[in-house]
Amino acid sequence: RFKTFNERVILMYYNENELPAILTFAEAVEYLYIGRNTLLKLLHNGTIKGFKVGNRWRIKKEDLLEFMNTDRA
């Protein structure tokens, strides 16, 4: 299934086996089903580890999965 995001068409990932090794910002937003500002806050405060290539965020698959599996009670 495809969905338009930021004037781009990206594939919606349904399980972790379909995720690329490094996700773009848009892919992470789509996979986590959260807003852009929420992901930015999580990246800036270090809750989700990410890095920048130029001025673009990238998130490693293992860092995204670690965030998802962390108990945040």
Side-chain angles (χ1 to χ4, degrees):
R1 183 172 135 184
F2 290 89
K3 181 178 180 181
T4 302
F5 183 83
N6 267 357
E7 301 176 6
R8 290 182 7 172
V9 177
I10 61 174
L11 178 64
M12 291 182 66
Y13 302 102
Y14 290 104
N15 67 57
E16 63 187 57
N17 296 327
E18 296 175 354
L19 287 175
I22 297 177
L23 288 86
T24 65
F25 184 87
E27 289 170 330
V29 164
E30 191 71 28
Y31 187 74
L32 294 172
Y33 201 71
I34 60 175
R36 296 174 63 218
N37 290 336
T38 302
L39 181 55
L40 277 174
K41 286 179 193 174
L42 293 169
L43 287 165
H44 284 288
N45 70 21
T47 304
I48 295 178
K49 297 174 192 166
F51 61 96
K52 282 190 153 189
V53 176
N55 64 347
R56 309 272 183 181
W57 281 103
R58 298 291 186 261
I59 299 101
K60 290 182 183 178
K61 173 182 176 176
E62 58 264 20
D63 292 335
L64 189 73
L65 296 176
E66 178 183 321
F67 165 75
M68 293 178 63
N69 293 324
T70 302
D71 184 21
R72 293 177 295 279

